Amino acid sequence: MISSPMARTLRLCAVAGLAISGCWAGPALAAGAMATGGMTSQPIGHYDFCKSNPGECSIRPRSLAPARMTDALWRKLTSVTAKVNAAVKPLSDYDIYGKDEVWAYPDSGLGDCEDYVLEKRRDLYRMGMSLADLLMTVVRKPDGEGHAVLTVRTDKGDYVLDNLTDKVRSWDETGYRFLKRQAIDNTGRWVSIRDGQQVLVGAVQ
């Protein structure tokens, strides 16, 4: 989990009551793709996830081109966001597992931000999207708390799927500071995002 114990509770409450009005509107014009830097440390939660799921962390997608944004893709992104946000009850890793930084699929119907990301990524991959376009991403919220979202790469820019809102937003409209995300060419590697601050979550080299 990417949070302090106190911030954890506040974030869990933030999901309740979020409306989905406007989520079927067309995509807002994105600022383009976020600029990434070189290889960086892997979040400790993802490192442990990869030890348990090695086959998911050694995939090298064949096509690295961004997905083509269409009305059908937009409906798919908004539908998956709303479905997963409604299906998973927000609960901290500590409350579920007795420890923090556990990244896992929310098959029990419980999870925190990283688990929502994993589920949305799995759903969209099963719908035919390339893993090069479905990237787990670590951000910092305006209040300084760490958070995880799913970045979707498209030819119209990068968009964010978030458990704190049912709206799919252009990455530059989230108010987040983007720190690092999965590399597009290897699901087990991570790259920095330029102009991001030093990440303050557990990571391994």
Side-chain angles (χ1 to χ4, degrees), residues 8-29:
R8 175 192 307 137
T9 302
L10 296 175
R11 191 194 66 237
L12 296 178
C13 295
V15 179
L18 290 175
I20 61 172
S21 59
C23 69
W24 290 102
L29 183 62

Side-chain angles (χ1 to χ4, degrees), residues 99-117:
K99 60 181 180 178
D100 287 328
E101 291 297 337
V102 179
W103 294 25
Y105 289 109
D107 293 331
S108 65
L110 306 172
D112 68 354
C113 57
E114 302 93 358
D115 308 335
Y116 284 85
V117 173

Side-chain angles (χ1 to χ4, degrees), residues 14 16-17 40 60 79 99 104 116 177 197:
T40 191
R60 296 174 178 268
S79 175
K99 60 181 180 178
Y116 284 85
R177 177 66 59 90
Q197 299 176 15

Side-chain angles (χ1 to χ4, degrees), residues 29-110:
L29 183 62
M34 62 183 77
T36 57
M39 291 295 177
T40 191
S41 56
Q42 182 182 18
I44 187 66
H46 190 247
Y47 174 79
D48 289 338
F49 173 81
C50 289
K51 287 198 300 184
S52 301
N53 304 273
E56 294 203 26
C57 299
S58 58
I59 299 171
R60 296 174 178 268
R62 292 182 179 180
S63 173
L64 303 182
R68 181 170 172 267
M69 177 56 78
T70 62
D71 288 343
L73 176 58
W74 184 254
R75 288 193 296 271
K76 186 182 298 184
L77 298 183
T78 56
S79 175
V80 166
T81 296
K83 183 191 76 171
V84 174
N85 285 356
V88 179
K89 177 183 177 181
L91 198 65
S92 72
D93 287 333
Y94 192 84
D95 289 332
I96 300 172
Y97 305 105
K99 60 181 180 178
D100 287 328
E101 291 297 337
V102 179
W103 294 25
Y105 289 109
D107 293 331
S108 65
L110 306 172

Side-chain angles (χ1 to χ4, degrees), residues 126-195:
R126 287 173 172 173
M127 293 178 182
M129 292 196 69
S130 169
L131 291 177
D133 301 325
L134 302 171
L135 308 173
M136 299 190 70
T137 304
V138 171
V139 304
R140 184 178 290 116
K141 299 194 299 182
D143 62 5
E145 181 189 0
H147 186 47
V149 297
L150 182 66
T151 295
V152 178
R153 297 171 61 239
T154 82
D155 60 353
K156 300 300 183 183
D158 292 346
Y159 291 87
V160 166
L161 278 58
D162 194 342
N163 68 299
L164 299 183
T165 177
D166 284 348
K167 292 184 178 180
V168 176
R169 298 177 292 180
S170 169
W171 69 274
D172 58 305
E173 294 183 339
T174 61
Y176 296 152
R177 177 66 59 90
F178 287 76
L179 302 172
K180 59 173 71 178
R181 75 182 190 187
Q182 287 177 295
I184 66 173
D185 60 348
N186 189 320
T187 56
R189 295 184 178 179
W190 287 66
V191 295
S192 61
I193 299 173
R194 294 177 189 171
D195 298 325

